Amino acid sequence: MKELDNDRLVWMFTQMARIREFEERVKGTFEEHPGVIRGHTHLADGAEASIVGSLATMEPNDQLMTTYRCHGYPIVLGTDTKAMMAEIYGKKTGLCGGYGGSMHLTDVERGFLGTSGIVAQGIPQATGAAYAAQIRKQGQVVLCFFGDGASKQGAFSESLNVASLWKLPIVFIMENNNYNVVTRSEQEDANAAAGEPLAVKAKAFSMPGVTVDGGDPVAVYETVGAAVDRARSGEGPTLVESKVYRLSAHGNIIVPPGIPLHFPEHEAIEVFGNPEEYEAAKRGDPVPRFRGKLVQDGVMSAEQADEIMQSAKDEMQAAVDFGIESPLPEPAEATKYVYA
Amino acid sequence: MTEIPYIAAIEMAIHGEMERDDSVLYFGQNIATSENDKFLQAFGPDRVRVTPISETAEIGMAVGAALAGYRPVVELYMAEFMLVAMNQVVNEAPRFRYMTGGQVNVPLVLKAGYGFTAGWAGQHTGTIYGMFMGVPGLRVAIPSTAADAKGLMATAIRDDNPVAYFHHYLLTLEPGEVPDGEHLVPFGEAAVRREGGDVTIVALGYMVGLAMNAAERLAGEGIQAEVIDPRTLNPLDMKTIIESVEKTGHLVLVDQATRHGSASAVIAGEVADEGFSSLRAPIKQVTALESTIPYSQPMEEYILPSEDKIVGAVQQVLGQAPVGA
């Protein structure tokens, strides 16, 4: 694991700012350009530190797979944010040509092998990619991201068993935001109900299980980095439980045609009537928290931080403009990629 | 040409493709369980692995390995086991290429025995290939002969799409002439197993043998049946079927599956759509009755298509059956 020098720390903050600003613009689109975004989007605001800390451990040939809450990862990998926004807008210029949308951002050239829109189903796929990496013998590692809800699926258990049995070069990163759509983890998870961290599930598969503060990108980097080192050296997988708090609701709401989409209030308030929990989470927002730390530590100046934020805003406004101005695909292109 | 059993022809194809292409992997249930396994000996534990009984992991891993540049063949043992991992089969593998705007292909083969009877009762006898015809992006192959078993498997492994490959357990030891060396049967080209001008019988998989026997019996009555084996359901060679119906004017479909949602029903619909004017009598489908397959022999025989039922159906469409039969 490489040491994080000041340049790298500033780079990490820059990526967090870019992810946050990208998602702010996705959210803003619902009001500013009604009807442009169709279907669902699922934001990861609050998980930026976890995403960036994890991806900062990657070497150029490493790979990852994620869930449908997928906007953050390609931003860190260097994917063109214009193409990403255009994809969410269903445009011809989109990252996937308008075939995938918000839930299926994929950039294979940069190692982002794809997503599943179905809970937990990407876990065996990432495990298969790790099998491929193992037999290719080029030292690649696969990062597999999923939520706490996924750990109740058979796909999770089956995959962790095989990965540990075969000592595959994979790190399972559970972004535990404590909500499964509108259900709290302790309502559906035996470990959570017993007051245990979900990382204890690793014990059943004879692999290390560690819990980390997903709001601290340096802590995530160190924890995931140790797991990546272990995977790369052939010792097998680790389950990392990264505790995050998503600051938006699960996703925007499915509505009948003609009624604008919107994001509801966070489940802590709307479902559980607990605004205190949500307010506390807002006060712990990892983006200003990391900014404050870097400024306080003298890693960057407040002016530099402002410039980074402004630069992210400018970039994402350009992405929105590009997405809005881009043409829609030709209807008859709809059957183009069914078969190879 | 060498005469070998159907199952040996499948293994020959997998072995041959693994020799030809280092990216072909073979993993799944009940393979390579001992060091004496011929695949394991030939290709080693990187490329040949026994997996736990974890269908979602097996098929999901095949998707992931395919995304990462390999061409996995997944041994599922029995077709029903695919149902355990239906999301990976239907919702993941065939849709990945599409959702990514063509960034990736998912070349994998799901090898599954199907339609076993002989008393295997309700959960190990399903003829489920028809379910997968309605899945865009998924190829479906059902070999009925040893030669096709080899040729379709080799083609399946080389195909850049996910392929569900269904072999019938009752054909396992059935010998057949198989071409030596490279043998590829193209997808989407039906085989005309027997030529005839009176009636077209389209039969699938194991049913092809029954249809051939029925055709021989009908020939004794002066009826010449043309027997067509589609070999793949996706792509489906409707051209050969329609041309045959244009010649004979009569169509009998034979499918071991229950009728609703079956391949037989799909083909009947296509002929009604595109070849209706050629029909001189209604289409007749010989399928399993709408039932789970029972354990006990007389009930099992009652449920399933048979030579007698095929002969009866042909006689009926040709108007030779007694009124009310």
Side-chain angles (χ1 to χ4, degrees):
Chain A
M1 186 178 8
K2 286 179 203 148
E3 201 172 320
L4 292 171
D5 60 18
N6 283 1
D7 284 352
R8 193 66 171 162
L9 291 169
V10 172
W11 176 86
M12 286 170 83
F13 174 69
T14 305
Q15 302 316 313
M16 287 170 63
R18 292 176 70 227
I19 297 172
R20 173 62 58 89
E21 198 52 35
F22 183 89
E23 296 211 305
E24 287 293 318
R25 300 305 285 117
V26 170
K27 205 168 181 175
T29 300
F30 289 101
E31 282 185 10
E32 294 162 25
H33 305 283
V36 167
I37 296 181
R38 311 178 73 235
H40 258 176
T41 63
H42 305 79
L43 304 187
D45 46 352
E48 294 89 346
S50 181
I51 294 167
V52 173
S54 298
L55 267 62
T57 67
M58 289 175 71
E59 298 289 336
N61 288 326
D62 291 343
Q63 295 170 324
L64 74 156
M65 295 191 80
T66 78
T67 71
Y68 47 82
R69 201 177 295 282
C70 63
H71 300 163
Y73 310 90
I75 289 175
V76 184
L77 293 173
T79 301
D80 179 9
T81 48
K82 288 190 174 71
M84 288 175 59
M85 196 66 84
E87 182 62 30
I88 294 169
Y89 293 176
K91 298 300 181 76
K92 186 177 182 170
T93 52
L95 186 60
C96 306
Y99 292 86
S102 165
M103 287 196 278
H104 302 296
L105 299 179
T106 298
D107 190 350
V108 172
E109 277 191 19
R110 288 179 174 78
F112 187 10
L113 292 180
T115 72
S116 177
I118 307 296
V119 169
Q121 296 297 312
I123 304 176
Q125 295 166 0
T127 304
Y131 171 37
Q134 182 184 59
I135 62 181
R136 190 174 271 136
K137 296 179 176 61
Q138 293 174 351
Q140 291 167 291
V141 169
V142 177
L143 302 186
C144 172
F145 293 88
F146 50 92
D148 44 311
S151 67
K152 267 61 76 182
Q153 278 276 345
F156 167 86
S157 305
E158 293 183 15
S159 301
L160 267 64
N161 178 57
V162 177
S164 181
L165 181 71
W166 293 3
K167 295 199 181 312
L168 296 179
I170 184 166
V171 181
F172 297 104
I173 302 165
M174 178 202 291
E175 289 170 335
N176 180 0
N177 61 32
N178 203 41
Y179 283 90
N180 310 269
V181 188
V182 299
T183 307
R184 293 180 66 100
S185 264
E186 55 268 30
Q187 293 178 299
E188 66 162 46
D189 186 292
N191 300 125
E196 294 177 313
L198 303 196
V200 300
K201 295 177 193 298
K203 179 75 178 163
F205 305 102
S206 301
M207 68 173 77
V210 285
T211 302
V212 64
D213 173 6
D216 178 350
V218 175
V220 172
Y221 174 79
E222 286 167 355
T223 302
V224 173
V228 165
D229 287 349
R230 176 180 146 84
R232 217 184 292 285
S233 67
E235 292 175 71
T238 302
L239 174 63
V240 175
E241 178 193 12
S242 177
K243 301 267 285 182
V244 299
Y245 197 103
R246 68 169 152 72
L247 298 169
S248 289
H250 165 74
N252 48 320
I253 290 291
I254 303 171
V255 292
I259 298 175
L261 290 161
H262 73 284
F263 275 89
E265 276 199 297
H266 192 274
E267 291 79 8
I269 301 170
E270 189 165 288
V271 182
F272 295 95
N274 188 355
E276 296 79 17
E277 175 191 311
Y278 184 69
E279 290 307 320
K282 288 286 263 190
R283 286 193 296 276
D285 185 335
V287 178
R289 178 178 154 194
F290 192 48
R291 174 196 159 119
K293 180 177 166 29
L294 293 190
V295 172
Q296 191 185 344
D297 292 354
V299 173
M300 66 180 179
S301 65
E303 293 72 27
Q304 197 180 352
D306 289 342
E307 281 168 26
I308 288 167
M309 291 303 298
Q310 188 56 48
S311 170
K313 282 186 198 300
D314 293 345
E315 178 190 354
M316 301 318 163
Q317 183 59 47
V320 168
D321 294 343
F322 175 79
I324 293 293
E325 287 159 16
S326 286
L328 289 161
E330 294 299 320
E333 297 279 292
T335 56
K336 188 171 174 184
Y337 294 115
V338 178
Y339 295 102
Chain B
M1 299 283 271
T2 314
E3 189 172 281
I4 56 170
Y6 180 85
I7 194 71
I10 298 172
E11 288 177 358
M12 186 187 275
I14 298 172
H15 206 281
E17 291 305 302
M18 291 188 78
E19 276 180 338
R20 194 185 68 86
D21 181 352
D22 287 345
S23 71
V24 179
L25 312 176
Y26 185 31
F27 59 83
Q29 296 173 25
N30 301 309
I31 62 166
T33 49
S34 97
E35 288 173 9
N36 299 323
D37 178 85
K38 61 188 167 190
F39 281 94
L40 188 60
Q41 284 192 339
F43 304 109
D46 276 357
R47 296 175 62 197
V48 181
R49 279 191 198 181
V50 62
T51 60
I53 302 173
S54 305
E55 285 79 9
T56 298
E58 287 169 58
I59 300 175
M61 287 178 68
V63 173
L67 294 174
Y70 287 90
R71 309 181 83 86
V73 179
V74 187
E75 179 62 63
L76 286 159
Y77 199 37
M78 288 206 164
E80 270 95 342
F81 302 163
M82 257 191 232
L83 304 177
V84 179
M86 201 66 160
N87 183 67
Q88 292 292 340
V89 179
V90 173
N91 203 20
E92 304 284 339
R95 295 182 178 174
F96 227 101
R97 171 181 160 77
Y98 189 87
M99 295 189 304
T100 62
Q103 287 184 52
V104 286
N105 294 332
V106 184
L108 60 87
V109 181
L110 305 176
K111 174 183 173 292
Y114 83 94
F116 198 35
T117 54
W120 279 57
Q123 293 180 322
H124 295 79
T125 49
T127 300
I128 61 171
Y129 45 64
M131 286 183 193
F132 300 103
M133 285 185 83
V135 181
L138 185 65
R139 299 296 192 196
V140 179
I142 39 170
S144 71
T145 68
D148 280 2
K150 178 180 177 183
L152 290 172
M153 177 54 82
T155 302
I157 294 171
R158 293 188 198 187
D159 197 288
D160 283 333
N161 299 288
V163 181
Y165 176 102
F166 295 94
H167 55 100
H168 200 292
Y169 268 100
L170 291 184
L171 293 172
T172 299
L173 299 176
E174 189 79 11
E177 291 286 329
V178 175
D180 299 319
E182 182 170 282
H183 172 55
L184 295 164
V185 171
F187 283 3
E189 283 188 21
V192 179
R193 299 291 182 200
R194 187 182 191 285
E195 293 197 17
D198 297 325
V199 61
T200 301
I201 304 176
V202 176
L204 301 163
Y206 180 68
M207 295 294 109
V208 175
L210 269 58
M212 291 296 282
N213 292 344
E216 287 305 313
R217 279 170 52 184
L218 289 161
E221 300 174 20
I223 297 167
Q224 294 304 324
E226 184 145 292
V227 178
I228 295 176
D229 172 5
R231 301 198 285 196
T232 58
L233 294 177
N234 182 6
L236 177 62
D237 180 5
M238 279 309 302
K239 184 167 175 285
T240 296
I241 294 169
I242 296 277
E243 281 173 2
S244 179
V245 173
E246 283 170 358
K247 182 170 74 176
T248 65
H250 298 92
L251 177 62
V252 171
L253 294 152
V254 190
D255 188 346
Q256 189 175 333
T258 50
R259 183 170 308 177
H260 294 173
S262 67
S264 162
V266 172
I267 296 168
E270 292 280 333
V271 172
D273 210 23
E274 297 173 33
F276 186 75
S277 59
S278 303
L279 289 168
R280 298 207 293 271
I283 298 166
K284 188 76 187 166
Q285 298 182 61
V286 182
T287 61
L289 303 183
E290 296 291 325
S291 169
T292 295
I293 306 299
Y295 167 69
S296 181
Q297 186 165 5
M299 292 196 291
E300 184 189 81
E301 287 174 358
Y302 178 77
I303 293 285
L304 292 173
S306 65
E307 275 179 44
D308 285 348
K309 290 179 185 176
I310 299 168
V311 168
V314 169
Q315 289 169 337
Q316 196 177 340
V317 300
L318 290 174
Q320 294 184 351
V323 172

